[in-house]
Amino acid sequence: LHISIKRGAMEQKTYPQLLTVAQAAHILNGAPYSTITAACRDKKIFAVKIGKQWRINTRKLAEQYGLDIEIDK
């Protein structure tokens, strides 16, 4: 399962189901890494911690921020 996110009229990129903090920051127009990490920790973004790293649910992030998504199965 891959999720495509459209940013703007022409740009579209495919992401996995679970994003790293860096990928989520890129999707959210370069939001600071620390802001994304804090949002994960404070449960403002649907995420799980695996070891010392956060993984963010791509679909929920897209829904939360109103991003145009397409799911490829």
Side-chain angles (χ1 to χ4, degrees):
L1 177 71
H2 293 283
I3 299 172
S4 297
I5 298 178
K6 288 184 181 179
R7 292 179 49 202
M10 302 291 285
E11 185 181 351
Q12 181 171 337
K13 187 169 181 182
T14 302
Y15 293 93
Q17 281 184 296
L18 295 176
L19 301 169
T20 64
V21 171
Q23 288 170 322
H26 175 76
I27 289 169
L28 297 176
N29 296 317
Y33 188 93
S34 59
T35 300
I36 303 296
T37 302
C40 293
R41 184 183 59 242
D42 297 341
K43 299 181 181 176
K44 293 180 180 176
I45 292 177
F46 189 84
V48 294
K49 197 164 190 182
I50 301 173
K52 294 182 178 183
Q53 299 180 354
W54 287 102
R55 291 293 183 261
I56 299 148
N57 183 292
T58 306
R59 184 185 315 206
K60 298 229 184 231
L61 183 75
E63 290 171 359
Q64 183 175 353
Y65 288 94
L67 303 172
D68 187 12
I69 66 169
E70 181 179 306
I71 300 170
D72 304 321
K73 293 183 181 180

